[in-house]
């Protein structure tokens, strides 16, 4: 669905082939990958971000409305959830984070919601790519596996978009499988980290 919505927002004409039907195509052009996962083509990323944000199909919030702290929830997902989320929620409430399940929003509403945010946080997952639609210099806070030393995709994306990036280590319940694991978050350490982020936001 988000592919169709993206093309409509960018006003790119398209047709959808029917399933279970054979097509004879005279000339077929297939794009190459712009970059490998976690390694982004800076110019392409910035161009697509700017094109979507500036689209006439999107009505973005006023500048003075772009002050939300959003936590992207994965609690309805089938994997990579936070086991002690009720405790985590108490800390998020303490610092006035709005907990949002992006899976329940259409793509256009995800863009608008993200553009309202000065901080987006959450467990490692695709929802964090919505940093594409935040103002430059916003802040990203990722919970990642304490044993994952290689997956820097959201750090890289934050860097290319000139956002501030912070991470916090969670404990996976499956050894050596951080994609399929659920996580336990140290509440005291999370509280301390979010307190430090508050200082940065209002510095």
């Amino acid at each position: 669905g988000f592919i169709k919505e993206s093309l409509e927002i960018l006003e790119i004409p398209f047709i959808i082939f029917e399933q279970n039907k054979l097509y004879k195509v005279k000339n077929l052009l297939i794009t190459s990958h712009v970059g490998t996962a976690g390694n982004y083509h800076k110019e392409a990323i910035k161009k697509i971000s700017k094109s979507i944000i500036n689209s006439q199909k999107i009505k973005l919030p006023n500048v003075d409305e772009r002050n939300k702290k959003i936590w992207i929830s994965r609690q309805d997902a089938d994997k990579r959830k936070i086991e002690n989320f009720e405790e985590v929620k108490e800390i998020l409430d303490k610092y006035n984070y709005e907990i949002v399940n992006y899976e329940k929003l259409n793509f256009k509403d995800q863009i608008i919601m993200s553009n309202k945010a000065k901080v987006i946080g959450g467990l490692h997952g695709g929802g964090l790519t919505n940093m594409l639609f935040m103002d430059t210099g916003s802040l990203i806070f990722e919970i990642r596996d304490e044993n994952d030393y290689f997956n820097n995709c959201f750090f890289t994306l934050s860097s290319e978009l000139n956002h501030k990036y912070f991470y916090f280590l969670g404990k996976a319940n499956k050894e050596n499988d951080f994609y399929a694991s659920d996580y336990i978050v140290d509440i005291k350490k999370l509280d301390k980290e979010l307190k430090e982020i508050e200082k940065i936001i209002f510095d």
Side-chain angles (χ1 to χ4, degrees):
F2 81 91
I3 296 173
K4 181 174 181 289
E5 285 186 88
S6 300
L7 294 172
E8 289 172 347
I9 289 168
L10 294 169
E11 300 186 69
I12 297 173
F14 63 93
I15 59 172
I16 299 175
F17 289 165
E18 296 178 25
Q19 292 186 2
N20 304 317
K21 187 174 182 179
L22 295 176
Y23 290 85
K24 183 178 181 180
V25 181
K26 186 175 181 180
N27 295 302
L28 180 65
L29 301 178
I30 301 176
T31 62
S32 60
H33 288 290
V34 177
T36 56
N39 294 281
Y40 305 97
H41 189 284
K42 185 173 183 176
E43 287 73 22
I45 285 293
K46 289 197 168 186
K47 185 174 182 179
I48 192 68
S49 173
K50 185 176 180 181
S51 296
I52 290 175
I53 288 172
N54 292 335
S55 170
Q56 297 298 313
K57 303 281 187 178
I58 302 288
K59 181 173 174 52
L60 294 177
N62 296 324
V63 175
D64 57 359
E65 296 179 86
R66 300 175 193 175
N67 56 8
K68 285 183 174 288
K69 290 179 284 186
I70 291 174
W71 187 267
I72 299 177
S73 173
R74 291 184 53 88
Q75 294 309 108
D76 289 339
D78 58 357
K79 60 185 176 184
R80 244 177 303 132
K81 296 180 284 190
I82 298 176
E83 286 189 0
N84 57 331
F85 186 71
E86 288 305 312
E87 293 177 289
V88 169
K89 184 178 181 301
E90 289 182 15
I91 303 300
L92 296 175
D93 289 342
K94 176 181 176 180
Y95 293 102
N96 299 312
Y97 279 77
E98 182 176 343
I99 299 169
V100 181
N101 187 334
Y102 270 45
E103 295 171 352
K104 295 181 179 178
L105 301 177
N106 62 39
F107 184 51
K108 188 178 291 187
D109 287 339
Q110 288 183 28
I111 294 168
I112 294 169
M113 177 67 73
S114 302
N115 190 253
K116 290 180 179 179
K118 62 182 175 183
V119 180
I120 283 183
L123 196 58
H124 177 90
L128 292 176
T129 58
N130 285 283
M131 70 175 79
L132 282 165
F133 314 121
M134 301 171 76
D135 286 342
T136 300
S138 298
L139 192 146
I140 309 301
F141 181 65
E142 176 188 12
I143 294 182
R144 49 187 295 175
D145 191 324
E146 63 183 2
N147 294 312
D148 175 21
Y149 305 106
F150 306 103
N151 194 344
N152 294 309
C153 58
F154 293 119
F155 163 73
T156 306
L157 185 57
S158 297
S159 178
E160 299 292 18
L161 295 170
N162 297 315
H163 294 323
K164 303 178 184 74
Y165 172 86
F166 295 84
Y167 70 91
F168 179 80
L169 299 178
K171 185 173 182 60
N173 63 5
K174 292 182 181 179
E175 191 173 352
N176 299 322
D177 188 4
F178 69 90
Y179 279 114
S181 291
D182 289 340
Y183 286 82
I184 294 288
V185 174
D186 186 309
I187 300 302
K188 289 184 179 179
K189 289 182 179 178
L190 178 64
D191 191 357
K192 182 179 178 181
E193 292 293 329
L194 292 183
K195 185 176 182 180
E196 290 300 313
I197 285 175
E198 290 293 299
K199 295 177 184 177
I200 294 167
I201 296 170
F202 299 107
D203 186 7

